[in-house]
Amino acid sequence: MKSFKLKSILVVLFLLISIVSCSNDDDEKPVVPNVKAVLVTEIKGPATGKVNDELSYEVTFVVDNACGEFDKISEVTIGAVKGLQVIAKYPSEVCTQQVPDPKKTVYKFKATAKGTYDIKFKKSETEFLTQKVVIE
């Protein structure tokens, strides 16, 4: 009788542990947004500045669909010329809003020496849109 009671308790405990440990709450995959380089249509900002002053430039870009959002600015090279590009992120689920409006972000520039600088953003697969700034 003791043996039967002990075996039944062990079977019940085993079943309880099995049921609790088989939960499916960690089966959900995290939502990872898609990222893609987008093209810049306009750069607005000051043409002059001073050494060590931070200048702000408004950068306008076009996303593929209305669900696209600004993610970051990264470096890019076209041929031998280096510049910048805007990276947009898109939700992984289907976007029902298909007509995109131009989006804007702010790019901060700070020069540590006097001179003329070119701020270049990718406007097509083969060329940059350039904003010149003179630092005095």
Side-chain angles (χ1 to χ4, degrees):
M1 189 61 119
K2 250 185 179 182
S3 174
F4 179 74
K5 209 175 196 181
L6 182 62
K7 285 181 184 178
S8 344
I9 291 175
L10 289 175
V11 168
V12 170
L13 284 174
F14 176 76
L15 290 174
L16 283 173
I17 290 172
S18 298
I19 291 171
V20 171
S21 66
C22 290
S23 113
N24 66 351
D25 57 346
D26 57 346
D27 292 342
E28 295 178 22
K29 294 179 181 173
V31 177
V32 178
N34 298 321
V35 293
K36 181 180 175 187
V38 294
L39 305 176
V40 170
T41 58
E42 185 178 30
I43 305 169
K44 287 183 183 176
T48 61
K50 298 197 180 292
V51 174
N52 291 324
D53 279 354
E54 188 172 78
L55 304 175
S56 295
Y57 292 88
E58 185 179 77
V59 179
T60 305
F61 60 96
V62 179
V63 291
D64 290 347
N65 60 47
C67 295
E69 298 176 2
F70 172 78
D71 186 37
K72 63 183 175 180
I73 294 174
S74 67
E75 292 183 358
V76 66
T77 302
I78 298 176
V81 181
K82 291 185 178 188
L84 302 168
Q85 69 182 352
V86 174
I87 305 294
K89 62 182 173 183
Y90 301 90
S92 59
E93 60 268 357
V94 177
C95 180
T96 57
Q97 305 168 357
Q98 296 302 319
V99 181
D101 289 329
K103 307 270 183 174
K104 297 180 188 236
T105 189
V106 176
Y107 173 69
K108 305 276 187 181
F109 176 76
K110 188 177 192 179
T112 57
K114 291 182 180 183
T116 302
Y117 294 88
D118 289 334
I119 300 171
K120 299 177 184 181
F121 275 91
K122 186 176 176 183
K123 78 171 185 178
S124 74
E125 294 303 317
T126 58
E127 52 187 339
F128 288 108
L129 185 62
T130 303
Q131 170 77 39
K132 288 196 178 293
V133 60
V134 177
I135 304 296
E136 302 168 344

